[in-house]
Amino acid sequence: MPCTTLLVGRKASADGSPIVARNEDSGNGTFDPKKVVVVQPADQPRTYTSVIDKRTIELPGDPLRYTAIPNALPDEGIWACAGINAANVAMSATETITSNPRVLGADPLVEHDPATGTPGGFGEEDFVTLVLPYIRSAREGVERLGALLAEHGTYEMNGIAFSDEQDIWWLETVGGHHWIARRVPEDHYVTMPNQLGIDSFDLDDAEGTGRDHLASADLREFLATHHLDLTQRDAGDAAPSVFNPREAFGSHSDSDHVYNTPRAWYMQRTLNPGSEDWDAGLPGASPDSDDLPWSRRPERLLTVEDVKDVLSSHYQGTVFDPYSSRGTAAERRAFRPVGINRHNALAILQIRPELPESHRALQWVAYASNPFNTLIPMFTNVEEAPAYLGTTDATVSTDSFYWTSRMIAALADAHFHEVIPAIERYQQRTLALGHAAVHAATEAASSADGAAVPGLLAEANTAVAEQIRTATDALLGEVLLIASNHMSNRFSRSDG
């Protein structure tokens, strides 16, 4: 699934919360309508069979409640996208990433064979459902998913994020059964644009205490047997403990330089504007750089709005912006933007460590194309999601935040410069409404009886969703009027 991920360590965020954020995008020419749900323990399957690769697994009998953003049309499976469980552990799955023929030859992907009925491994369709209800820390998420990969395999290369109130862990699959994971430095952010990203890995740590690195048990042997480590060393030297996974397991193809690395370049350019000469074409700072760092320390603390802006970006301020007149027609279509037409959903997951567990977790949700949408905050310690976030089906309707956001984007794109002032006013107003609602509900929950907190949070979720629904309906009317006034069959003379 073509997606973009941004991870922010707790000492790099303005409020001290680790932030996990990802755009889930659909394939070219398609949309996958999404909805938010709260999965109760009684609704979690005990026997699970994947739709795509036909693999069946028995699940533990003690799942936690969790939120998810599944496909509204389950014809290809659940695709739960992202969520937070009752233990305040967050998970985002998955970022589709790249590999190379050496890895895929050494550990082939596990694909369903319809001719023989042989099942394949698990993938993006499955991971949140199989892991999130059973973990109580980010590290446990890595360990559970790693065990599933080793036993059952996967049919695709993926990156998966886990977070608790202290740490973010990022796991990347390496072939059909192998994997590596790194803890995100607390004062750094990570940019991930559909490409294997980890650029340094310590095998000694992974095989020892695992403080910052975890991996498949046989990773060192896997590297050596298949000559995957490309680190230069003198004859007779022992294999180094630290190596570059991006060189060993990843790719540096021409398509990466059009589709992937430019997104990382622009995200880092935005969050570290003074750290490099971003327009000079220098190694490590150009759109086609193979050595852009996996993580950076930002120049200032980052906010939810920063995350939303970066994950909505389309190369503003450069010749590559498709909405700008600065570049040539070829330059404006040279690179795949972060903010693209085929976003399904954006999930921004926050675990706020300074607050009581009952209202520590927040899941911000947006649907459709990010340059034109807004976020709705949702406390996750609730029994059900607000109707405006959860009422999505195959029928286009303004009762659904998904479909209304999709209509606004489709109308606005062709009239970008005419509508963007209205879009920006809407985004500022609704994000302010969201923050005000979070502040008020947090204060109320902090002084409420514990048993009353879930109901109080559910009411707050519904109230802010309805406020933003009113603003979104008004924006749809405004954008519709602007688009209508620019139709090709318009004529200036009125009747009368």
Side-chain angles (χ1 to χ4, degrees):
M1 185 68 69
C3 308
T4 309
T5 294
L6 180 64
L7 312 173
V8 181
R10 63 188 179 92
K11 292 183 180 178
S13 75
D15 67 354
S17 62
I19 300 175
V20 167
R22 181 174 63 93
N23 294 335
E24 185 198 277
D25 306 335
S26 61
N28 187 37
T30 66
F31 294 134
D32 297 305
K34 305 293 286 189
K35 61 181 180 179
V36 177
V37 299
V38 178
V39 182
Q40 299 293 341
D43 298 325
Q44 174 71 0
R46 273 27 179 201
T47 300
Y48 177 89
T49 300
S50 61
V51 172
I52 293 176
D53 266 40
K54 317 302 182 187
R55 182 169 289 267
T56 297
I57 184 175
E58 296 300 318
L59 295 175
D62 55 348
L64 297 168
R65 185 198 69 241
Y66 64 102
T67 62
I69 312 177
N71 286 2
L73 310 177
D75 52 316
E76 292 188 342
I78 297 174
W79 296 80
C81 181
I84 300 174
N85 69 22
N88 291 328
V89 179
M91 179 180 180
S92 175
T94 70
E95 179 80 24
T96 305
I97 60 174
T98 53
S99 188
N100 63 61
R102 301 183 308 280
V103 171
L104 298 179
D107 183 12
L109 298 175
V110 184
E111 298 177 314
H112 170 53
D113 184 350
T116 64
T118 303
F122 292 118
E124 183 170 353
E125 169 200 348
D126 318 297
F127 286 147
V128 170
T129 304
L130 298 182
V131 176
L132 184 57
Y134 309 104
I135 58 176
R136 295 183 176 274
S137 71
R139 185 188 180 101
E140 281 188 18
V142 171
E143 293 168 344
R144 174 165 173 79
L145 180 54
L148 289 170
L149 290 168
E151 181 177 357
H152 301 283
T154 183
Y155 56 86
E156 58 189 355
M157 294 284 288
N158 284 307
I160 298 96
F162 300 95
S163 173
D164 52 36
E165 72 274 6
Q166 296 294 318
D167 294 323
I168 301 173
W169 280 86
W170 177 252
L171 181 150
E172 296 182 331
T173 60
V174 180
H177 299 85
H178 290 83
W179 57 274
I180 58 174
R182 268 195 67 180
R183 190 171 69 91
V184 174
E186 293 174 350
D187 60 346
H188 281 212
Y189 66 87
V190 166
T191 55
M192 286 297 307
N194 287 132
Q195 192 172 22
L196 192 138
I198 296 175
D199 56 5
S200 179
F201 194 85
D202 189 335
L203 282 167
D204 285 350
D205 182 36
E207 294 169 346
T209 61
R211 182 183 182 277
D212 298 304
H213 305 78
L214 294 168
S216 301
D218 66 339
L219 188 69
R220 190 185 295 267
E221 179 184 356
F222 181 61
L223 283 164
T225 300
H226 299 285
H227 311 289
L228 297 174
D229 182 5
L230 303 184
T231 306
Q232 287 275 18
R233 54 185 178 272
D234 294 331
D237 286 353
S241 169
V242 178
F243 73 102
N244 186 343
R246 199 181 288 178
E247 298 294 341
F249 307 132
S251 65
H252 304 300
S253 67
D254 291 340
S255 60
D256 284 329
H257 298 154
V258 171
Y259 198 83
N260 295 325
T261 56
R263 281 182 279 159
W265 169 77
Y266 190 78
M267 289 191 282
Q268 294 185 23
R269 171 196 177 105
T270 301
L271 300 179
N272 283 79
S275 299
E276 308 281 355
D277 186 346
W278 295 103
D279 295 313
L282 300 174
S286 65
D288 60 353
S289 290
D290 291 328
D291 53 357
L292 285 160
W294 177 67
S295 71
R296 276 186 185 267
R297 187 174 187 269
E299 293 178 9
R300 62 167 176 79
L301 298 177
L302 303 180
T303 66
V304 167
E305 288 72 44
D306 292 322
V307 172
K308 171 65 167 68
D309 288 347
V310 167
L311 292 179
S312 305
S313 60
H314 43 87
Y315 302 110
Q316 298 97 307
T318 78
V319 296
F320 309 118
D321 183 354
Y323 298 113
S324 172
S325 60
R326 290 180 58 180
T328 65
E331 286 172 326
R332 291 195 293 273
R333 293 296 176 189
F335 301 138
R336 190 266 207 210
V338 176
I340 202 169
N341 64 319
R342 46 194 168 85
H343 294 322
N344 295 328
L346 163 61
I348 302 178
L349 311 175
Q350 279 189 289
I351 312 296
R352 303 175 297 166
E354 79 284 1
L355 294 172
E357 292 184 5
S358 64
H359 50 284
R360 182 173 293 174
L362 271 177
Q363 180 164 339
W364 300 76
V365 178
Y367 293 134
S369 185
N370 284 348
F372 307 105
N373 65 16
T374 195
L375 291 163
I376 294 180
M378 176 179 143
F379 289 90
T380 62
N381 181 19
V382 294
E383 297 301 307
E384 62 181 0
Y388 193 48
L389 286 173
T391 306
T392 306
D393 56 26
T395 302
V396 177
S397 169
T398 55
D399 289 337
S400 160
F401 187 45
Y402 173 87
W403 285 119
T404 308
S405 299
R406 181 68 73 201
M407 287 187 280
I408 289 169
L411 289 166
D413 175 79
H415 309 284
F416 181 85
H417 296 288
E418 292 82 11
V419 304
I420 201 62
I423 299 286
E424 290 174 348
R425 289 193 298 270
Y426 160 78
Q427 289 171 333
Q428 177 156 307
R429 180 181 174 218
T430 52
L431 286 169
L433 286 171
H435 279 294
V438 168
H439 294 325
T442 297
E443 184 176 351
S446 296
S447 58
D449 176 76
V453 169
L456 183 156
L457 297 179
E459 291 176 5
N461 288 345
T462 296
V464 69
E466 289 303 309
Q467 284 183 296
I468 293 176
R469 174 179 182 164
T470 299
T472 305
D473 287 346
L475 177 67
L476 176 60
E478 192 171 355
V479 170
L480 181 60
L481 178 60
I482 293 170
S484 297
N485 287 335
H486 286 81
M487 291 174 63
S488 297
N489 63 351
R490 67 188 183 276
F491 197 79
S492 58
R493 178 178 173 180
S494 300
D495 293 337

